[in-house]
Amino acid sequence: MDIEIIIRDKVVEAIEKLYSQKVDPDQIQIQNTRKDFEGDKTVVVFPFLRFSKKSPEQTGEELGNLLAAEVSEIAGFNVVKGFLNLVIDGSYWINQLNEAAGDELYGFSPVTDESELVMIEYSSPNTNKPLHLGHIRNNLLGFSISEIMKANGNKVVKTNIVNDRGIHICKSMYAWKTLGNGETPASSGKKGDHLVGEYYVKFDQLYKKEIAELVAGGMSEDEAKDKAPSIQAARDMLRKWEANDPEIRQLWENMNGWVYQGFDETYKLLGVDFDKIYYESDTYLIGRDEVVRGLDEGYFYRREDGSVWADLSAEGLDEKILLRSDGTSVYMTQDIGTAKMRYQDYDINHMIYVVGNEQNYHFQVLAILLDKLGYEWGKDLYHFSYGMVELPHGKMKSREGTVVDADDLVEEMIDVARKVSEELGKLDGYSEEEKKNIYRIVALGALKYFILKVDPRKNMLFNPEESIDFNGNTGPFIQYTYARIQSVLRKAVDSGIDIPMVAPSINCNAKEIELVKAVNRFQFVVKEAGDNHSPAIVANYVYDLVKEFNQFYHDYSIMNEPDETTRSFRLVLARTVGQTIKNGFSLLGIEVPERM
């Protein structure tokens, strides 16, 4: 049993025994003892003074004496003002180590038939451009949150909604049709999503040129933006697409097919996947039907130009368009349809949308609209809102072609990993194939860890060179520590040393106990990360664990320890730390190399 639960239960009994008062267990404050004091767990005494009618010191002494007498795990105590510091017996920590050592999935909760089903939406790309750095943060967060929710005993469905229709898609289609000369991924040697993305940029260039010409001819800028031939043509394409025009539909299918092949390659490279993919082209009609129903039932209203709106002034918001005047759909229409379809497909207990914070208002409105339409789960939708990711040179804009392409960034990271490894000479004697695999593992570890260690709600600056440093709070530093542990374990086996499954009892030194305590904390970190939907909690825990191990490894020998029992204990401890690093990184979608 967790020592905090043991202490809490005993404090409840002690207060009743000493002062004839019942206390709520949840009101008892227990924390880790500060490093500058002796002890492992600290009970805050101040709330009990109203019962004891004594000084904090006296109350702490009385409580400490009773706990030490009745709790075998407590080896001693001291009182500092209103804080009772409890020293936990070393045997308890050895038992905790053995609990972790005997369970490869220590800290993870099993998924059962009774587990709740959590659906997590992430990625949500548009088929008019390749995935970029912003998508990388989204995909890494979504995948990691999925793994963390699974580790907390939930059934998880990882889902993606592909925005495969709309005016932005038609812009790429129009530019390719008028400027493409039949270019394909096969004829150009370009990845499909990159090729389509280039035509999205070309459309923007053409559109701006037309606007400038119309303004020079005396038209206002707003009118020019509306009347430019290219935007008129793109709108016409969208209308024809919604009317199932066969030529437009065929062009759309061809170009989207190119993009999907490209997306699949990028997802595989990033190590993320999905259990179910929805497409806006399938869900927008369901959403449109829902909007029409809401119009008929008086929840929405139609303006003179034919557009359909929701008046949210009663909720303290403004008005929201749901259908354009020409009858075409907007993102909100699609999201209403997608939500309905998902709840028809799955018995969802919790729905989490992993979408950037620029869409906070959108999801606030979506929840209200679904509630208005009579779906009781509407207000339970959870928008996991995360901050933007930027590079040192500023924001990215897809239509201007200034995005940082996801594929290019990963390739750049692999190149940096290769250069750093060559400079350090870490892979001398490895085959080329082994080297390439380690470059990939290190590069993706650097990228994922650098992004996931940051509080997801904060904006962040991504620095490729800083992320791949083999020192400091980086993925490669943690991966290198894991590989170092595996090297020690291999040396032990090669030397004929048998590493026991269970750690033998020894008189642990302070560093060994701190390391066991760090391993023990993993189970609570997994729960906290699940409660807060925060991979950063796991990432920073693993870094703290690695720092603790490296301090221990610096101060104490493992293989050269002359006492066989102590050496066996340390080998079990090192193996368990390695497994905990591996498990922690698995929740972040990061691999760990056995050699490095």
Side-chain angles (χ1 to χ4, degrees):
M1 185 185 290
D2 176 44
I3 192 63
E4 286 197 9
I5 296 174
I6 294 170
I7 294 169
R8 185 171 284 114
D9 290 346
K10 269 299 170 188
V11 169
V12 171
E13 289 180 25
I15 296 300
E16 187 163 9
K17 197 175 286 186
L18 290 168
Y19 311 121
S20 303
Q21 293 288 337
K22 288 186 180 292
V23 293
D24 182 348
D26 292 336
Q27 301 303 310
I28 295 169
Q29 299 173 48
I30 302 172
Q31 50 199 224
N32 293 325
T33 303
R34 282 171 45 181
K35 296 251 180 169
D36 45 340
F37 292 107
E38 182 190 6
D40 300 293
K41 295 292 177 181
T42 296
V43 179
V44 181
V45 175
F46 295 110
F48 312 137
L49 302 185
R50 67 183 188 274
F51 307 138
S52 69
K53 312 296 184 188
K54 297 174 184 176
S55 71
E57 290 80 5
Q58 282 180 292
T59 306
E61 286 288 339
E62 290 179 350
L63 191 55
N65 281 319
L66 197 150
L67 291 175
E70 297 193 2
V71 180
S72 60
E73 291 87 353
I74 295 176
F77 71 93
N78 62 84
V79 180
V80 180
K81 296 183 178 177
F83 299 94
L84 169 61
N85 302 318
L86 302 172
V87 179
I88 307 303
D89 189 73
S91 62
Y92 172 82
W93 296 118
I94 292 174
N95 290 336
Q96 290 301 300
L97 171 61
N98 285 326
E99 188 179 325
D103 183 0
E104 281 197 354
L105 295 177
Y106 176 74
F108 292 4
S109 299
V111 177
T112 67
D113 290 341
E114 286 72 43
S115 294
E116 293 195 329
L117 190 149
V118 181
M119 179 175 277
I120 301 173
E121 175 195 294
Y122 60 97
S123 199
S124 310
N126 296 329
T127 56
N128 63 323
K129 56 192 174 186
L131 303 178
H132 56 61
L133 178 57
H135 289 116
I136 288 180
R137 191 178 197 190
N138 179 291
N139 280 279
L140 299 186
L141 283 170
F143 183 84
S144 182
I145 292 168
S146 299
E147 295 303 302
I148 289 168
M149 296 307 286
K150 269 193 249 178
N152 277 282
N154 296 287
K155 297 173 187 172
V156 171
V157 176
K158 294 176 283 187
T159 185
N160 187 358
I161 174 69
V162 179
N163 298 302
D164 64 340
R165 60 162 293 284
I167 191 66
H168 50 294
I169 311 298
C170 291
K171 288 176 181 179
S172 295
M173 289 164 56
Y174 175 74
W176 183 87
K177 187 176 180 182
T178 55
L179 305 171
N181 296 315
E183 184 180 23
T184 67
S187 70
S188 65
K190 295 173 183 173
K191 203 161 160 273
D193 51 338
H194 291 195
L195 178 66
V196 173
E198 287 178 11
Y199 283 97
Y200 184 61
V201 173
K202 286 179 181 179
F203 177 91
D204 190 62
Q205 293 167 345
L206 174 64
Y207 182 40
K208 283 180 177 174
K209 182 182 174 187
E210 290 173 351
I211 291 169
E213 289 171 353
L214 291 172
V215 170
M219 196 178 284
S220 72
E221 186 172 350
D222 285 345
E223 190 179 2
K225 286 179 179 178
D226 184 57
K227 301 292 186 186
S230 58
I231 197 68
Q232 296 272 28
R235 288 176 189 147
D236 185 54
M237 269 191 168
L238 179 58
R239 283 188 289 270
K240 287 181 177 178
W241 184 92
E242 294 208 3
N244 284 314
D245 179 278
E247 182 186 345
I248 297 300
R249 283 278 177 153
Q250 188 61 56
L251 173 60
W252 171 75
E253 285 182 12
N254 290 343
M255 293 182 72
N256 275 357
W258 300 340
V259 173
Y260 296 145
Q261 287 183 340
F263 283 173
D264 287 345
E265 288 178 39
T266 307
Y267 289 139
K268 187 176 179 181
L269 187 64
L270 288 173
V272 303
D273 59 8
F274 306 94
D275 301 306
K276 174 78 173 179
I277 297 179
Y278 291 89
Y279 298 90
E280 185 183 349
S281 54
D282 294 328
T283 66
Y284 85 102
L285 287 174
I286 297 172
R288 194 160 66 182
D289 288 345
E290 286 296 299
V291 170
V292 170
R293 176 172 71 81
L295 181 66
D296 292 341
E297 294 176 6
Y299 306 129
F300 311 136
Y301 73 97
R302 192 185 296 278
R303 289 188 178 177
E304 288 184 7
D305 64 357
S307 57
V308 177
W309 295 70
D311 182 359
L312 305 177
S313 55
E315 287 79 15
L317 303 175
D318 54 11
E319 297 180 328
K320 180 67 181 175
I321 188 169
L322 302 177
L323 288 174
R324 297 188 188 94
S325 57
D326 61 2
T328 56
S329 304
V330 295
Y331 273 130
M332 188 63 72
T333 324
Q334 163 240 300
D335 277 343
I336 290 170
T338 306
K340 181 180 178 182
M341 186 181 280
R342 284 171 174 161
Y343 276 82
Q344 287 174 337
D345 291 346
Y346 296 92
D347 187 16
I348 300 170
N349 297 104
H350 302 287
M351 178 72 216
I352 301 172
Y353 292 85
V354 180
V355 183
N357 57 17
E358 78 277 14
Q359 294 295 329
N360 287 353
Y361 176 76
H362 176 90
F363 284 98
Q364 185 184 4
V365 171
L366 176 62
I368 293 170
L369 294 179
L370 288 168
D371 188 58
K372 282 180 180 291
L373 288 165
Y375 297 112
E376 59 184 26
W377 40 261
K379 285 191 174 176
D380 294 331
L381 305 180
Y382 178 71
H383 174 208
F384 178 83
S385 172
Y386 65 88
M388 296 296 99
V389 55
E390 297 174 9
L391 286 159
H393 54 67
K395 287 190 175 181
M396 304 175 293
K397 295 178 182 173
S398 300
R399 63 181 177 275
E400 295 176 9
T402 60
V403 299
V404 178
D405 181 81
D407 301 309
D408 292 344
L409 180 60
V410 172
E411 288 304 319
E412 180 190 333
M413 294 291 295
I414 292 172
D415 192 49
V416 173
R418 178 184 59 76
K419 288 175 182 172
V420 171
S421 296
E422 286 174 353
E423 287 170 10
L424 297 174
K426 290 185 180 295
L427 301 181
D428 293 345
Y430 285 56
S431 71
E432 281 305 309
E433 193 164 329
E434 286 175 324
K435 286 180 181 178
K436 282 182 181 176
N437 190 44
I438 290 175
Y439 298 151
R440 179 191 63 79
I441 290 173
V442 171
L444 284 167
L447 173 66
K448 292 180 179 185
Y449 183 80
F450 197 91
I451 286 176
L452 293 175
K453 73 178 181 179
V454 178
D455 181 341
R457 290 159 185 82
K458 293 181 179 177
N459 290 345
M460 67 168 293
L461 198 67
F462 177 70
N463 186 320
E465 286 74 24
E466 188 182 329
S467 74
I468 215 154
D469 192 343
F470 277 78
N471 296 296
N473 190 3
T474 67
F477 171 70
I478 294 168
Q479 289 172 320
Y480 184 65
T481 300
Y482 175 83
R484 171 188 273 175
I485 291 171
Q486 302 316 302
S487 176
V488 170
L489 299 175
R490 282 194 300 272
K491 283 178 185 172
V493 172
D494 292 344
S495 302
I497 297 171
D498 182 46
I499 306 173
M501 294 306 297
V502 174
S505 292
I506 64 167
N507 289 320
C508 298
N509 63 47
K511 278 276 196 291
E512 288 162 339
I513 286 178
E514 283 305 311
L515 195 48
V516 174
K517 285 157 73 173
V519 170
N520 178 248
R521 269 200 310 278
F522 182 59
Q523 57 187 315
F524 308 109
V525 166
V526 172
K527 185 177 186 310
E528 184 185 357
D531 290 343
N532 291 279
H533 307 103
S534 179
I537 291 171
V538 174
N540 288 291
Y541 160 80
V542 176
Y543 175 58
D544 288 340
L545 174 65
V546 162
K547 280 196 301 182
E548 198 72 54
F549 175 82
N550 283 323
Q551 286 174 2
F552 164 75
Y553 190 72
H554 177 269
D555 294 347
Y556 296 95
S557 175
I558 297 178
M559 289 298 294
N560 293 327
E561 168 55 48
D563 182 76
E564 189 176 328
T565 304
T566 301
R567 185 182 63 199
S568 291
F569 174 86
R570 290 177 183 171
L571 283 167
V572 173
L573 179 56
R575 185 181 64 205
T576 309
V577 169
Q579 187 62 45
T580 306
I581 293 169
K582 186 175 185 177
N583 288 347
F585 260 26
S586 76
L587 297 180
L588 306 177
I590 301 176
E591 296 175 71
V592 283
E594 297 298 310
R595 302 172 187 267
M596 200 164 155

